[in-house]
Amino acid sequence: MTAATNPTPQTSDDDWWRSAVVYQVYVRSFADANGDGVGDLQGIRQRLPYLRDLGVDALWLTPFYTSPQVDAGYDVADYRDVDPLFGSLPDFDAMITDAHALGLRIIVDLVPNHTSSRHPWFTAALAAGPGSAERERYLFAEGKGESGELPPNDWESIFGGPAWTRVADGQWYLHLFDPAQPDLNWRHPEVRAEFEDVLRFWLDRGVDGFRIDVAHGMIKAEGLPDVGFSSTTTGQRQSELLGKGRLPYFDQDEVHDIYRAWRPILDSYPGGRMAVAEAWAETPQRLARYIGPDELHQAFSFDFLDATWSADSFRKVIDTALAESTIVGAPTTWVLSNHDRQRHVTRYGDGEVGLRRARAAALLMLALPGCAYVYQGEELGLPEVLDLPDELRQDPAFLRTGESRDGCRVPIPWSGELAPYGFGPEGGELSWLPAPATWRALSVAAQTGVPGSTLELYRAALRIRHAHPALAGTTGGVTWLESEPGLLAFRRAAGDAELTCLVNLSGAEVTIDGYGQPIVASADLTEQGAGHVLPVDAAAWFERR
Ligand code: BGC
């Protein structure tokens, strides 16, 4: 097998995001430079060459702003500063300067739906009392019942329990997530002005884009109407409707006005500044409304992440996502894992089977047109850590629902024989979540230069993705090829160059012939006659030029 050579990073044009590979850095778990057991901006800075060599185009950094860290930084107390846990503004400036020098772009997370309860606006709202102008920036309301002892409506927090908390003077405030994350009132002009200014603050510091947290949530239906059921009445949690049904607190039409105001701000800066929505909508059609030339550039396609391990399931979500993105003229995004979801090695069956499938899924994702998001550690084939002791779990949702996202947030193993495997400097604190002993063999150092390792598979695929004319820089569609059941086969082409991606989800090995030469594969291919045998749960790229 030969890998394509002469990689050309796609870093120079304004449309870079259309076909970029973006690496999600979960800041507290990526690299710890100061030895306190928590990842930081200096740690990222030191590891930038690793990311350049991996072959990604951009980094998305999860929130590093001043925060009490109730929800791992998604509770922001100061949108214009860095939490001392992660460093300082000068550290950020140094990191972004180095990243740009290496040809890597930086996307930061913006959390506009809610602030921290320690944000000065919320502290002022509590102090000022009912009816005050300060309370208008949030969603305070009187309760129901004889003395207002019941929440204003039946809305549930995504983290479980009621979405309302009562304060000492008797009013209630809305928090769609933790009580420490009060929802802002986006019908208030000061809220809108503030976030436009926050966008400019980070754009002025050179960021290349924003990941918009809960992008579907900022506007709530007028009058705050009941949903009509809740887990206490029916046993079904309202959050089960995410991505499937309508909720009065998500995906309201007016939310699009906010993005129409943001787009000209992004466009007024040079270099192709972009924004990607973390949005949940009832249908792919409604999700597509977040993207386009006058709104955001991208929205995560979680249907791909949710696809089950079957050819039909992948084919359906890929076709739908591509069709929607064609209509709105924006590329789609592909994502297999992130900091909120169980890692895909584990989702696909865990252990050896899960890893085989995860490797095949990587080749599937990286062959598709559009922008791919890689979650830190997936290039190492990391599984979910399922056996973290409860007392170490920190996800606020764990306390309310028993479900925890900590298992996908365990710090990255870099090198060495002992935990935390080079995550921090020698002699530093242990990492904030412990890495299992099995991760010694999965560290970056253990996989570097090892033929067939997951890290080398990602490196090879990313190198080809950048260099191959059929994949590089294009936003064209895919051509599905007729194939036996359970085999996904599609072609990308540019001029005379053709690249075919084959993924074997059939449960039996398949002999393939007539697609050209294999250039990368997630498992060993054996030659058979003029063709090759593609093992179960494996994928390969074949080229013809
Ligand atoms: C983020 C979560 C966070 C939540 C509240 C999500 O979309 O990805 O990690 O807990 O928003 O900010």
Side-chain angles (χ1 to χ4, degrees):
M1 241 173 282
T2 55
T5 48
N6 189 24
T8 326
Q10 299 158 325
T11 50
S12 54
D13 83 62
D14 283 8
D15 279 345
W16 63 274
W17 45 272
R18 288 183 182 275
S19 55
V21 176
V22 181
Y23 185 95
Q24 181 189 352
V25 174
Y26 192 67
V27 178
R28 59 171 46 231
S29 300
F30 187 64
D32 169 22
N34 69 359
D36 65 355
V38 179
D40 44 44
L41 296 178
Q42 283 293 352
I44 299 171
R45 189 177 172 206
Q46 290 167 5
R47 298 291 185 181
L48 290 172
Y50 165 76
L51 296 170
R52 189 248 346 250
D53 294 346
L54 179 61
V56 300
D57 304 287
L59 278 49
W60 149 32
L61 270 46
T62 51
F64 47 78
Y65 317 109
T66 313
S67 161
Q69 304 293 327
V70 171
D71 185 20
Y74 282 95
D75 47 323
V76 180
D78 183 349
Y79 289 85
R80 296 180 185 78
D81 207 350
V82 172
D83 195 289
L85 188 62
F86 303 124
S88 62
L89 274 177
D91 288 343
F92 179 84
D93 294 340
M95 188 270 308
I96 197 168
T97 302
D98 285 8
H100 285 164
L102 291 173
L104 294 166
R105 301 189 193 246
I106 299 290
I107 296 171
V108 296
D109 218 312
L110 186 71
V111 189
N113 179 67
H114 43 264
T115 69
S116 157
S117 53
R118 303 262 191 87
H119 189 285
W121 276 3
F122 194 72
T123 322
L126 288 184
S132 62
E134 285 82 353
R135 287 215 170 169
E136 290 298 309
R137 297 189 191 114
Y138 292 89
L139 293 158
F140 279 86
E142 299 302 329
K144 285 186 177 157
E146 249 168 57
S147 50
E149 73 283 7
L150 299 172
N153 66 22
D154 66 359
W155 295 3
E156 281 178 342
S157 154
I158 302 298
F159 290 166
W164 296 91
T165 288
R166 198 172 195 193
V167 299
D169 53 52
Q171 277 205 316
W172 297 74
Y173 69 90
L174 180 73
H175 52 85
L176 292 179
F177 294 88
D178 192 83
Q181 294 166 298
D183 278 54
L184 284 162
N185 171 13
W186 271 87
R187 293 201 166 86
H188 196 302
E190 273 180 40
V191 171
R192 296 198 181 213
E194 168 69 359
F195 277 88
E196 292 181 8
D197 194 62
V198 169
L199 283 175
R200 289 198 180 90
F201 178 88
W202 291 103
L203 287 165
D204 288 341
R205 289 199 111 81
V207 306
D208 301 283
F210 298 90
R211 178 260 188 191
I212 313 298
D213 188 63
V214 197
H216 53 306
M218 281 109 94
I219 297 289
K220 280 77 183 174
E222 288 282 8
L224 311 178
D226 279 344
V227 172
F229 73 88
S230 65
S231 35
T232 37
T233 55
T234 62
Q236 192 198 4
R237 276 169 59 184
Q238 292 171 4
S239 61
E240 289 172 36
L241 286 190
L242 272 183
K244 294 187 206 109
R246 297 306 295 277
L247 287 163
Y249 45 83
F250 283 150
D251 192 32
Q252 301 296 305
D253 289 343
E254 273 176 84
V255 81
H256 296 284
D257 296 342
I258 298 169
Y259 302 127
R260 282 191 281 267
W262 286 8
R263 184 58 181 258
I265 298 174
L266 294 168
D267 286 348
S268 70
Y269 285 78
R273 315 289 175 109
M274 55 77 79
V276 52
E278 184 232 6
W280 293 88
E282 188 179 4
T283 59
Q285 292 72 24
R286 284 194 72 88
L287 183 64
R289 297 175 68 200
Y290 288 80
I291 55 181
D294 65 342
E295 293 204 28
L296 304 176
H297 300 69
Q298 302 174 333
F300 289 121
S301 166
F302 293 118
D303 289 344
F304 186 67
L305 185 152
D306 284 327
T308 53
W309 191 252
S310 84
D312 287 350
S313 168
F314 277 116
R315 169 95 191 239
K316 195 165 151 229
V317 298
I318 292 168
D319 277 341
T320 309
L322 289 176
E324 286 311 317
S325 66
T326 308
I327 294 167
V328 297
T332 190
T333 63
W334 309 106
V335 46
L336 289 167
S337 277
N338 64 31
H339 66 292
D340 290 330
R341 303 294 294 267
Q342 191 176 66
R343 282 188 177 274
H344 57 280
V345 166
T346 303
R347 285 204 322 270
Y348 293 151
D350 216 21
E352 233 173 84
V353 171
L355 181 58
R356 284 178 70 82
R357 293 177 172 176
R359 290 164 56 99
L363 290 192
L364 167 62
M365 173 170 84
L366 294 173
L368 289 168
C371 176
Y373 281 79
V374 171
Y375 178 48
Q376 67 177 37
E378 76 174 63
E379 80 279 19
L380 304 175
L382 297 186
E384 184 84 0
V385 180
L386 297 168
D387 58 357
L388 285 170
D390 285 355
E391 63 277 14
L392 294 184
R393 294 186 184 268
Q394 298 199 13
D395 182 356
F398 180 62
L399 297 176
R400 295 166 73 98
T401 62
E403 286 163 24
S404 141
R405 298 166 292 176
D406 295 297
C408 63
R409 299 176 174 181
V410 173
I412 294 297
W414 289 94
S415 59
E417 302 297 308
L418 292 175
Y421 306 114
F423 171 66
E426 206 137 316
E429 296 283 323
L430 287 174
S431 52
W432 69 281
L433 285 175
T438 45
W439 283 22
R440 185 169 57 96
L442 296 176
S443 75
V444 171
Q447 296 196 45
T448 299
V450 176
S453 71
T454 304
L455 178 56
E456 293 302 338
L457 173 70
Y458 267 79
R459 283 186 175 148
L462 290 170
R463 214 166 34 231
I464 296 168
R465 183 179 157 109
H466 280 300
H468 201 286
L471 297 185
T474 71
T475 52
V478 304
T479 306
W480 292 105
L481 306 177
E482 253 186 62
S483 62
E484 43 216 282
L487 186 70
L488 275 182
F490 64 87
R491 177 165 296 154
R492 308 269 317 270
D496 288 340
E498 275 181 12
L499 187 141
T500 303
C501 175
L502 294 146
V503 192
N504 183 2
L505 300 106
S506 73
E509 54 182 40
V510 177
T511 304
I512 43 186
D513 193 4
Y515 300 109
Q517 283 307 307
I519 49 172
V520 66
S522 68
D524 287 341
L525 304 180
T526 41
E527 288 187 14
Q528 181 155 314
H532 291 86
V533 174
L534 184 63
V536 176
D537 293 336
W541 293 355
F542 287 75
E543 74 165 351
R544 228 182 345 227
R545 295 199 197 213

